[in-house]
Amino acid sequence: MLKVEGINVYYGNIQALKGVSLEINQGEIVTLIGANGAGKSTLLKTISGLLKPKQGQIIYEGQSIAGKAAQSIVKMGISHVPEGRRVFANMTVEENLDLGAYLRKDKEGIKEDFGRVFELFPRLMERRKQLAGTLSGGEQQMLAMGRALMARPRLLVLDEPSMGLAPLLVKTIFRIIEEINATGTTILLVEQNAHMALSIANRAYVIETGRVVLSGTPDELNASEQIKMAYLGGH
C-alpha cells in the first residue's frame, strides 16, 4: 500500500533521514520504534507531505506522493495524528471533528462517520459541545484520532498516541487502535512504549539516527537481545 524507498530528508544542513526504506501492506499495523530524535516523526511528516525528501521515492497505492501538498495527500486517503495532539483549543469537540471532514462533500457519509467516532469514543459524545482546550490529555488524544478518522483515511498515521497518558488510558487508546484497524484501516504507528506497540503490530521497523537498522515481526524483535536492551528495558 505504501512504499518508501531510500529517502533522505534534511533540516537545513542537518540530515534527519538517511536512505530510509520501508513498506506497509494493506490492513497491517506497522510500528516504528526508536529513541527520541531518531527520525520517526520526521518520517511521518515526510509521508504526509509536511516535509519534502531531498532524494528517494514515496509510493502510495501505486502513485508517487513525495513532495505533494499535504492536503492532496489527505484527499488520497492518508490522515496524520501529530505528536502532541494539536486540537483546536477554542473550538468545540464537534467543530474539531467537522474540520477533519473539510475536504469531503458527502453529507450522509460525514454524518455516518460522526456516529462511528462517537461509538469508538463515547467520551467525545458526552463532551461534544465542550471546548477542546478544556478536555483532559486522554480526551484530546481521542479527539485528535477522531478528527483524523473524519477524513475517512485508508492509512492512519499515529505519532506517539500514548504520550503523557495514564497507563489505563494507554490500554484504552491501544484497544481503539486495534478496533480501527479491524474495520479495514491500515495503521502506521510511532510509539515510545515499545512493549505496547509490539503487542498490536504485524511488523516493526527500528530507526536509529535516521536509518532503519532492523525490521521484522514483533516475535523476531522481541527475541533480539539488542532490541531488548535498548527499547524493552532488558526484559
Side-chain angles (χ1 to χ4, degrees):
M1 183 181 208
L2 184 80
K3 199 174 188 151
V4 175
E5 290 177 335
I7 61 168
N8 293 325
V9 177
Y10 292 78
Y11 290 109
N13 295 325
I14 296 165
Q15 189 168 1
L17 294 180
K18 302 161 187 168
V20 169
S21 298
L22 61 84
E23 46 189 64
I24 300 169
N25 302 311
Q26 182 114 26
E28 282 188 311
I29 297 179
V30 172
T31 187
L32 304 177
I33 293 169
N36 270 338
K40 305 183 304 295
S41 291
T42 301
L43 177 55
L44 298 193
K45 287 176 181 164
T46 308
I47 289 169
S48 61
L50 298 170
L51 294 171
K52 289 183 169 52
K54 209 162 193 174
Q55 284 91 25
Q57 282 288 340
I58 303 172
I59 310 291
Y60 169 69
E61 293 186 333
Q63 276 181 285
S64 171
I65 60 168
K68 264 196 191 309
Q71 66 268 31
S72 317
I73 291 175
V74 173
K75 223 175 191 158
M76 290 171 80
I78 299 178
S79 282
H80 183 158
V81 181
E83 189 183 346
R85 330 201 218 285
R86 309 277 174 88
V87 297
F88 298 100
N90 32 13
M91 295 173 96
T92 65
V93 165
E94 222 157 37
E95 288 166 338
N96 266 273
L97 291 174
D98 224 7
L99 275 175
Y102 79 102
L103 288 172
R104 293 174 56 185
K105 302 279 180 279
D106 55 323
K107 283 207 169 61
E108 278 312 301
I110 291 170
K111 212 154 96 187
E112 233 169 77
D113 286 349
F114 258 107
R116 181 186 169 210
V117 167
F118 288 146
E119 221 168 275
L120 282 169
F121 305 105
R123 191 85 59 88
L124 295 182
M125 175 73 173
E126 293 160 26
R127 308 255 192 278
R128 64 187 187 280
K129 299 291 184 212
Q130 229 171 286
L131 292 182
T134 65
L135 301 178
S136 71
E139 289 162 350
Q140 288 190 13
Q141 184 59 53
M142 293 172 186
L143 179 55
M145 288 167 69
R147 182 179 60 191
L149 288 173
M150 291 300 294
R152 213 173 257 194
R154 292 191 294 287
L155 174 62
L156 181 62
V157 176
L158 295 166
D159 197 354
E160 300 288 7
S162 80
M163 192 187 262
L165 301 185
L168 205 65
L169 258 177
V170 173
K171 283 202 169 105
T172 305
I173 292 288
F174 271 82
R175 194 197 69 241
I176 291 165
I177 292 171
E178 287 188 286
E179 280 177 35
I180 293 168
N181 177 247
T183 61
T185 306
T186 305
I187 288 174
L188 175 58
L189 170 69
V190 159
E191 180 52 63
Q192 281 287 299
N193 187 334
H195 272 295
M196 284 297 275
L198 290 174
S199 74
I200 67 167
N202 301 98
R203 288 184 308 110
Y205 290 86
V206 180
I207 295 188
E208 279 173 15
T209 57
R211 288 190 168 87
V212 171
V213 292
L214 208 69
S215 66
T217 63
D219 287 346
E220 287 165 346
L221 294 197
N222 278 322
S224 149
E225 284 309 315
Q226 180 195 349
I227 296 305
K228 270 189 206 165
M229 294 307 291
Y231 305 109
L232 302 172
H235 305 311

